[in-house]
Amino acid sequence: MVIAQQPENKSQQLRTVAEFVEDVQALTTEIQQLYCLDEIPWCVGYSGGKDSTAILQLIWNAIAALPPEKRTKTIYVITTDTLVENPVVSAWVRNSLEQMKVAAKEQQMLIEPHLLYPAVKDTFWVNLIGKGYPAPRNRFRWCTERLKIQPADSFIRSVIRSSGEVILVLGTRKTESAKRASTMAKHREWRVRDRLNTNPNRPNSLIYLPIEDWSTEEVWIYLNQWKNPWGYSNKDLFTMYRGATADSECPLVVDSSTPSCGDSRFGCWVCTMVNKDKSMEAMIQNDEEKEWMQPLLDIRNELDVDNDYDKRDFRRIWGEVTLFERNVDGETSVEPIHGPYTKYWREYWLRRVLEAQIQIRHTAPENMRNITLMTLEELSEIRRIWLEHKHEFDDSLPRIYKEVTGEEFQDPRPGADYSLLGSDEWAVLEEICEGDAMHLELMAKLLDTERQFRKKARRTGIYDALEKCFETSSRSLEEAVKNAYLKRDLKTAVTQGDVAKVKQLTLGDVVKEEITDASSAKPKTWASMKFQKKETTS
């Protein structure tokens, strides 16, 4: 007798194929009953992978079996394209959604596919190249919320606003990993009925998990034995997973020790949350036609380095030095936390991505020749951040774009090309500063801050803005770190009530922010120095 193996969870009872078929039939009935129970719309999470394909296929087949007069409720199929997805998978998903639209119309199914994108300000390259965020790490995982969660959550909230409630249908399974099983066990506290939970993170929404108890092998059995209702090829999906495993082989499962090709995981090609992008590496290794993706893998590996402090500012993104304690060889070491990528490295990553895009458009198959690694809107936003927030008025993005692509950069932002300062003024400033990076940064900030205020009817706040330039950019690395230590020690002394220590620190190398004008006993600022009170003569 053939057994549907479940090696991921050995404690779970093995099911025969006949028992699995009975489970599919029971789930079909359950889905039909839940669908007809009320008017709450459904949102099905679809990524194009095996689990989400199985869950959508299961629901589609169940609802298609109902009489047309009972198919009264809309089922939204939502997919989030992070704009840095594996290109092969991204193309697969887009084509699948287009085919769903056609099939749903032909079969009179109220199924609406929606391809969602992150807001331009939240995309990967705008944050990494524009703002200078370092490549994501466990301690600074800034990508998931912006790229995946917020677009989906925004759509779900819009459905709740229009309908009052929503049911989220997900292909989450307990056998995916021990961590996933543990998380799902905790969520059982909010269980309404079998496989249906309340959503603790979103009021007025429920989470439905039809295949939570399926094994990976059962997912593949279902996909290979039940026809895809929107006309896509599950065998091609199987082949794609097979090509994404290192040994290029999906073996016949005969016992719990046999590996499964279902462990292949697709995601963002820039992801540095994993040690290696095994799926892309395997694709390139197993298929000569996918060698065109090598430039993407090279960029990803270049981003993924343990120590990139030499590429990053010694200050946090707001311009201050922040200290943290860590254990180095058994001793406590207090060091500054490095911040965003420096100007040089942000420009470097921009050039690398544009070069990879040009190369891929020449080497990729015909159906992938129009690939875009960075959209025009992203480039425009990066340029705006460099000009308005970084005060880098040399405006290097159009120059780099033309050097790499040979084309003029056409910025869609109105008035983007109008500026009083440019590369010529930047070159003069570099010459004046004679290689002093901090001096150059300070002068650039002061000049550009004045420019930003010049057209305002009331220039309220200009002196505070100029003062902030001095606070963040007037100290060298050594001085800034020394000042941070001094501020920390002073704060500790004040907290502990150590008056002697406070006097020692304030009478010695005093923190600039604490210096006061002797005559007024008020902090000395850029504005107070500009408008000093004139002494009156008797």
Side-chain angles (χ1 to χ4, degrees):
M1 180 179 292
V2 180
I3 301 293
Q5 298 289 342
Q6 296 172 311
E8 304 96 327
N9 188 355
K10 296 180 181 179
S11 63
Q12 186 175 346
Q13 185 177 0
L14 302 179
R15 298 193 292 189
T16 65
V17 171
E19 291 172 336
F20 174 64
V21 171
E22 289 180 6
D23 183 54
V24 172
Q25 294 171 345
L27 279 174
T28 300
T29 303
E30 178 181 286
I31 291 168
Q32 292 171 338
Q33 292 174 346
L34 187 62
Y35 178 85
C36 297
L37 189 62
D38 49 46
E39 297 300 318
I40 302 175
W42 288 13
C43 281
V44 182
Y46 176 74
S47 66
K50 64 184 188 308
D51 296 332
S52 62
T53 300
I55 195 66
L56 179 57
Q57 180 172 310
L58 188 65
I59 290 171
W60 190 309
N61 287 333
I63 305 306
L66 292 172
E69 60 271 14
K70 290 190 175 182
R71 304 175 202 161
T72 58
K73 193 161 59 176
T74 302
I75 297 175
Y76 301 101
V77 179
I78 59 175
T79 299
T80 301
D81 185 348
T82 63
L83 300 177
V84 283
E85 298 290 331
N86 182 303
V88 174
V89 180
S90 180
W92 171 274
V93 172
R94 287 197 306 272
N95 294 336
S96 179
L97 293 178
E98 291 300 319
Q99 202 153 327
M100 281 180 208
K101 292 178 183 178
V102 175
K105 186 176 181 180
E106 292 176 349
Q107 300 173 29
Q108 298 181 351
M109 298 284 289
L110 287 179
I111 292 179
E112 292 185 11
H114 291 266
L115 186 58
L116 311 176
Y117 298 97
V120 174
K121 66 181 180 64
D122 292 329
T123 64
F124 185 85
W125 296 123
V126 165
N127 281 279
L128 188 136
I129 295 177
K131 298 176 184 177
Y133 283 7
R137 291 290 185 271
N138 286 323
R139 292 185 177 181
F140 189 37
R141 189 172 183 168
W142 52 265
C143 52
T144 306
E145 178 72 23
R146 290 175 170 85
L147 303 185
K148 295 186 177 182
I149 297 176
Q150 288 182 5
D153 190 58
S154 179
F155 182 88
I156 291 166
R157 282 189 281 110
S158 69
V159 174
I160 293 175
R161 282 196 298 270
S162 61
S163 304
E165 293 179 280
V166 69
I167 293 178
L168 307 179
V169 187
L170 305 176
T172 310
R173 297 182 299 109
K174 289 183 288 188
T175 57
E176 288 182 77
S177 67
K179 184 177 181 180
R180 179 60 58 86
S182 175
T183 302
M184 294 177 69
K186 292 179 182 178
H187 287 177
R188 286 180 177 274
E189 300 174 11
W190 301 290
R191 181 137 291 190
V192 176
R193 52 176 283 183
D194 286 347
R195 292 177 283 277
L196 189 67
N197 304 334
T198 57
N199 186 353
N201 300 317
R202 174 59 56 199
N204 298 337
S205 67
L206 298 170
I207 298 177
Y208 183 40
L209 308 171
I211 63 171
E212 64 175 355
D213 294 318
W214 285 18
S215 70
T216 297
E217 285 66 35
E218 288 173 334
V219 171
W220 284 120
I221 289 173
Y222 178 71
L223 291 175
N224 286 316
Q225 297 302 320
W226 276 261
K227 185 179 178 181
N228 186 296
W230 59 92
Y232 230 42
S233 173
N234 290 339
K235 290 184 178 179
D236 288 345
L237 177 64
F238 185 82
T239 301
M240 187 164 65
Y241 268 86
R242 177 180 179 178
T245 52
D247 56 5
S248 185
E249 184 178 9
C250 283
L252 176 66
V253 179
V254 293
D255 57 37
S256 60
S257 64
T258 309
S260 167
C261 73
D263 292 334
S264 306
R265 291 182 181 273
F266 303 110
C268 302
W269 64 266
V270 292
C271 184
T272 52
M273 298 301 298
V274 293
N275 293 329
K276 289 184 178 181
D277 188 340
K278 295 181 180 179
S279 62
M280 183 174 283
E281 285 184 354
M283 281 184 174
I284 296 171
Q285 172 187 326
N286 297 334
D287 190 345
E288 290 183 359
E289 293 184 357
K290 293 186 173 65
E291 289 182 357
W292 58 269
M293 293 195 295
Q294 186 64 48
L296 305 184
L297 187 61
D298 292 341
I299 291 176
R300 183 260 164 216
N301 291 339
E302 195 172 353
L303 281 169
D304 187 21
V305 292
D306 294 332
N307 188 341
D308 58 358
Y309 296 156
D310 60 322
K311 299 180 176 66
R312 294 161 56 186
D313 201 319
F314 64 90
R315 299 156 296 179
R316 304 300 294 275
I317 199 165
W318 56 85
E320 293 183 2
V321 174
T322 303
L323 304 175
F324 77 107
E325 295 184 1
R326 66 171 184 163
N327 188 294
V328 180
D329 298 328
E331 297 183 1
T332 300
S333 173
V334 181
E335 302 173 5
I337 299 176
H338 285 74
Y341 290 123
T342 61
K343 182 178 189 295
Y344 172 86
W345 284 103
R346 283 184 278 110
E347 293 175 348
Y348 173 84
W349 293 125
L350 172 65
R351 190 181 295 274
R352 288 283 285 116
V353 175
L354 291 176
E355 288 172 345
Q357 180 172 287
I358 295 296
Q359 183 176 350
I360 287 174
R361 287 180 175 179
H362 284 90
T363 59
E366 198 67 35
N367 63 330
M368 301 296 291
R369 291 285 174 90
N370 63 345
I371 190 170
T372 299
L373 300 183
M374 200 182 307
T375 66
L376 185 62
E377 290 74 20
E378 289 179 283
L379 288 166
S380 176
E381 179 64 8
I382 290 170
R383 184 189 187 191
R384 187 192 69 82
I385 292 171
W386 286 4
L387 287 170
E388 297 183 7
H389 295 284
K390 304 289 187 182
H391 303 285
E392 295 164 358
F393 56 77
D394 60 324
D395 196 14
S396 60
L397 186 142
R399 172 178 54 81
I400 294 172
Y401 185 86
K402 185 174 182 179
E403 289 175 355
V404 176
T405 66
E407 302 173 357
E408 295 289 342
F409 179 64
Q410 303 296 328
D411 199 322
R413 188 163 51 92
D417 294 321
Y418 174 75
S419 178
L420 290 176
L421 302 172
S423 57
D424 291 342
E425 289 77 13
W426 187 272
V428 171
L429 198 59
E430 282 184 317
E431 184 178 348
I432 293 172
C433 294
E434 298 179 338
D436 188 333
M438 293 308 300
H439 190 197
L440 173 63
E441 180 182 298
L442 176 60
M443 292 299 103
K445 281 188 175 182
L446 291 172
L447 286 170
D448 198 56
T449 298
E450 173 68 26
R451 179 197 62 79
Q452 290 181 4
F453 276 88
R454 68 179 291 271
K455 284 191 174 182
K456 294 185 178 180
R458 297 186 61 192
R459 308 212 301 172
T460 305
I462 184 172
Y463 293 114
D464 290 337
L466 291 171
E467 183 69 27
K468 190 174 180 180
C469 295
F470 281 101
E471 291 175 358
T472 59
S473 305
S474 61
R475 299 184 182 93
S476 65
L477 168 60
E478 295 76 14
E479 292 172 337
V481 172
K482 182 179 179 181
N483 188 66
Y485 276 104
L486 185 59
K487 290 173 68 175
R488 185 200 63 168
D489 295 342
L490 182 61
K491 182 178 180 180
T492 301
V494 171
T495 302
Q496 296 174 350
D498 190 342
V499 178
K501 186 68 172 178
V502 171
K503 288 182 178 180
Q504 177 188 351
L505 293 171
T506 55
L507 292 177
D509 191 3
V510 186
V511 182
K512 286 187 177 182
E513 286 77 4
E514 305 298 327
I515 298 178
T516 58
D517 188 301
S519 60
S520 62
K522 293 181 179 179
K524 186 177 293 185
T525 64
W526 179 257
S528 67
M529 289 186 288
K530 177 75 174 178
F531 299 104
Q532 295 182 20
K533 290 183 179 180
K534 294 182 179 180
E535 295 182 3
T536 56
T537 57
S538 55

